[in-house]
Amino acid sequence: MQKILIVEDEEHIAEGLRFNLEAEGFEAEIAPDGEIALNLLTTEGKTFDLIVLDVMLPKVGGFEVARTLRKSKNFVPILMLTARSRPEDVLMGFEAGTDDYLPKPFDLSIFLARLKSLLRRQKWTNNNSFIESDIFEINGKTIDFTNLELKTQNETIQLTLMEVKLLKYLIEKVGTPVARKEILENVWDLSEDTDTRAIDNFIVRLRKYLEEDPSKPQILQTVRGIGYKFVKG
Ligand code: CA
């Protein structure tokens, strides 16, 4: 049985989600604040298949919870619950290492669909034509799109789902400049009036992973006034 941790301080929401998750055959546990969630996950070492994480939480906020988990190399899928009016929360959440988000208030069927699709995340890599296998080699490094890993000669780096989605999107458009707002719409699923600078931080990170000299990028090139371009070496 798959186990879900619901980190949510609004009791009626938390209980409602638990009720519905259990009805769907999941095991569900509630943590009413960020501190309790981190205790469960780190000190007590409990494992879950997915975490539903509210942004606004007492004691330790949602972003901090996500950041702490990722820092400690815990890569459990995180579905973040944000306020609808704050697209910047979404970008901050992805920066913190969450995998997907749902603006509140949400429809229960959408919640379950997002959650199940995250649990099946291995499958999303299979439906495109450019990458025939889920392994992609570049610059002597191997990217495993299924396991979200980047392997170099010496180490394996765990990528976040968003890092992989962004990289994959640029790879699919190889050689073509891709505008930042196109990336926001198609990778992040955000409208184009959102601040696009968060993308730049992701590119900086991907360059650190991929480029020999991240200050002189050869693979993820900046296209002035437009966005970015993936160049196959
Ligand atoms: Ca809250």
Side-chain angles (χ1 to χ4, degrees):
M1 196 182 274
Q2 290 183 302
K3 286 195 290 182
I4 315 293
L5 177 63
I6 304 158
V7 190
E8 168 65 84
D9 57 317
E10 285 165 83
E11 205 182 332
H12 68 285
I13 296 181
E15 290 295 345
L17 293 180
R18 170 155 72 184
F19 177 84
N20 283 287
L21 285 170
E22 286 174 355
E24 291 281 315
F26 295 102
E27 211 177 297
E29 191 169 337
I30 295 170
D33 67 49
E35 195 175 277
I36 293 173
L38 283 176
N39 267 335
L40 277 176
L41 291 157
T42 54
T43 318
E44 294 182 30
K46 275 205 179 186
T47 58
F48 293 88
D49 296 288
L50 184 142
I51 298 175
V52 178
L53 181 63
D54 189 31
V55 169
M56 300 288 282
L57 288 167
K59 293 185 183 170
V60 181
F63 298 136
E64 192 55 34
V65 170
R67 227 174 272 131
T68 306
L69 289 178
R70 297 318 189 215
K71 225 180 269 172
S72 65
K73 302 212 179 299
N74 183 329
F75 292 98
V76 58
I78 298 177
L79 174 61
M80 181 176 56
L81 305 180
T82 64
R84 190 181 290 280
S85 56
R86 294 178 55 87
E88 60 271 34
D89 278 0
V90 175
L91 296 175
M92 271 189 79
F94 286 138
E95 282 281 311
T98 63
D99 299 290
D100 200 0
Y101 72 97
L102 198 58
K104 281 176 169 179
F106 49 79
D107 190 85
L108 183 69
S109 59
I110 304 286
F111 167 78
L112 290 170
R114 287 284 177 97
L115 178 130
K116 287 176 186 171
S117 98
L118 258 187
L119 287 166
R120 286 192 311 261
R121 68 180 181 183
Q122 269 81 352
K123 288 188 181 163
W124 65 253
T125 49
N126 293 337
N127 53 7
N128 77 77
S129 49
F130 181 77
I131 304 162
E132 280 168 341
S133 79
D134 282 342
I135 305 285
F136 189 80
E137 288 199 24
I138 183 156
N139 220 7
K141 291 161 184 161
T142 307
I143 303 158
D144 181 337
F145 285 108
T146 301
N147 295 310
L148 311 180
E149 285 175 349
L150 183 135
K151 288 180 186 145
T152 68
Q153 280 180 329
N154 312 315
E155 56 175 345
T156 300
I157 297 162
Q158 185 78 43
L159 304 172
T160 68
L161 189 60
M162 270 301 151
E163 287 169 350
V164 170
K165 270 188 168 175
L166 172 59
L167 184 58
K168 216 164 157 270
Y169 191 78
L170 292 171
I171 288 175
E172 282 167 14
K173 310 250 166 183
V174 60
T176 313
V178 183
R180 284 184 181 81
K181 64 177 189 180
E182 180 186 336
I183 295 172
L184 267 186
E185 283 184 14
N186 294 328
V187 179
W188 270 265
D189 214 7
L190 288 173
S191 66
E192 59 182 75
D193 55 354
T194 311
D195 188 352
T196 56
R197 275 172 300 185
I199 294 169
D200 302 344
N201 299 333
F202 274 84
I203 295 284
V204 167
R205 245 164 28 221
L206 288 174
R207 280 176 177 159
K208 260 186 229 158
Y209 300 147
L210 296 173
E211 304 279 354
E212 252 156 60
D213 179 357
S215 67
K216 297 192 184 84
Q218 305 294 310
I219 298 164
L220 292 173
Q221 297 184 3
T222 301
V223 183
R224 204 174 288 271
I226 299 178
Y228 297 100
K229 169 168 86 165
F230 177 85
V231 177
K232 205 166 184 286

